[in-house]
Amino acid sequence: MKTYVVGNWKLNFTVGEASIYLHKLSKSLPNYRNLEVVVAPSMLALQPLSLQVDRRRIKLAAQDGFYRDYGAYTGEVSFSQLRGLADYAIIGHSERRYVFKEDDKTIQKKVAAALRNKIKPILCIGEIESERAFGETADVIKDQLLGGLAEVADDNLSKVIIAYEPVWAISSVKGAKLASPDEISEVINIIRQTLSDTYGPESAEKVSVLFGGSVSPSNAGAYLTIPGVNGLLVGGASLILHEFIDIIEIAKKVQA
Ligand code: PGA
């Protein structure tokens, strides 16, 4: 199975800065087999970067996309417009859920629209701090997971990547804490069990599950060795090129 290292740049970098970063990243990456390095630039940078990127080495992801293919939706970019530019799309990131108030219904339509347009969704799920404190983590995870996947046909399941991102561990969240490998492992098991109960063990096994939340070179190794974790979704540390490269190197070592 592949290991994923995905850099979510969020609302950072001008088009020029993004292009320079990509150039430098590309120069310093050996051609790793079975390691999928993905960066998610702004919508604006996606198009020029798609012309620049060597897709054998680095893939591009959109940070979002709209579920209708065209029409009167001012300000939106559809997955049909992203088709061919991005191989992946982050969908249901906690910032989309909590800042932009996206619900599971919207997210499931986006997951379906991405797949319809040959873009692999990276479906983000994760509980907020109070949900964890009230013992609701398992229910929240199951609801977000099955809600997001509701329109995915069984034979498309293996094209979806799940990212577990506890919201309380995301570096930009006030008072963020590091998630421990035990805490992560417990939720990864819930995700895998839910997939297995819903789609059957064989289909569930083919789904890649990533972890995200304050990932850095100092914890990447520990997170990547948690059973059932196939990669990392990196926010803040992906903005610092040498840290992102360090995380990629660590992923390579863990895989070897
Ligand atoms: P972080 O962000 O690595 O800065 O915590 C992760 C994310 O929000 O995807």
Side-chain angles (χ1 to χ4, degrees):
M1 212 138 156
K2 273 186 194 163
T3 301
Y4 293 82
V5 180
V6 184
N8 176 9
W9 293 353
K10 307 190 180 181
L11 183 53
N12 294 288
F13 296 152
T14 62
V15 174
E17 287 163 348
S19 170
I20 292 168
Y21 181 115
L22 187 68
H23 175 72
K24 289 186 182 160
L25 176 64
S26 194
K27 263 201 342 202
S28 38
L29 274 192
N31 210 347
Y32 290 143
R33 284 187 60 195
N34 272 334
L35 187 64
E36 190 87 326
V37 176
V38 184
V39 292
S42 72
M43 285 292 187
L44 197 61
L46 258 178
Q47 206 274 338
L49 295 198
S50 76
L51 301 176
Q52 174 187 339
V53 74
D54 175 356
R55 288 182 190 208
R56 287 164 303 179
R57 300 153 70 77
I58 299 170
K59 301 280 201 303
L60 296 177
Q63 295 176 17
D64 189 27
F66 190 57
Y67 53 79
R68 296 258 194 260
D69 285 348
Y70 55 87
Y73 302 102
T74 303
E76 295 297 325
V77 176
S78 69
F79 289 104
S80 62
Q81 292 171 320
L82 291 167
R83 189 177 185 145
L85 303 185
D87 289 290
Y88 296 91
I90 298 171
I91 297 178
H93 187 277
S94 58
E95 285 143 24
R96 301 298 321 168
R97 290 177 190 268
Y98 299 105
V99 183
F100 298 98
K101 309 281 180 267
E102 277 186 22
D103 57 12
D104 284 325
K105 196 102 200 124
T106 303
I107 291 164
Q108 69 186 232
K109 287 192 215 156
K110 291 186 172 189
V111 169
L115 287 169
R116 187 166 75 233
N117 287 291
K118 310 267 178 272
I119 294 172
K120 292 189 184 119
I122 302 172
L123 170 63
C124 299
I125 58 176
E127 80 286 1
I128 59 173
E129 192 171 24
S130 60
E131 289 165 339
R132 174 160 283 264
F134 288 120
E136 294 166 0
T137 301
D139 286 342
V140 171
I141 291 297
K142 282 185 210 163
D143 284 353
Q144 292 184 355
L145 180 65
L146 297 180
L149 294 176
E151 291 187 28
V152 178
D154 288 17
D155 54 353
N156 263 340
L157 184 70
S158 62
K159 296 187 188 123
V160 181
I161 295 168
I162 307 297
Y164 170 51
E165 295 205 307
V167 182
W168 49 271
I170 291 181
S171 67
S172 53
V173 169
K174 216 167 155 239
K177 297 184 199 76
L178 276 185
S180 73
D182 282 348
E183 287 169 325
I184 299 166
S185 181
E186 205 182 302
V187 177
I188 297 294
N189 289 338
I190 293 168
I191 293 171
R192 294 218 170 266
Q193 191 59 50
T194 306
L195 289 173
S196 175
D197 292 346
T198 313
Y199 295 93
E202 248 176 69
S203 304
E205 253 175 41
K206 294 190 193 128
V207 180
S208 295
V209 182
L210 318 185
F211 172 72
S214 299
V215 171
S216 70
S218 56
N219 58 31
Y223 288 158
L224 280 167
T225 42
I226 298 169
V229 169
N230 306 105
L232 301 169
L233 179 51
V234 189
S238 76
L239 300 176
I240 305 159
L241 181 63
H242 68 89
E243 292 202 5
F244 193 56
I245 292 171
D246 283 352
I247 294 169
I248 294 166
E249 301 283 352
I250 291 163
K252 185 65 216 160
K253 274 194 206 117
V254 169
Q255 209 183 38

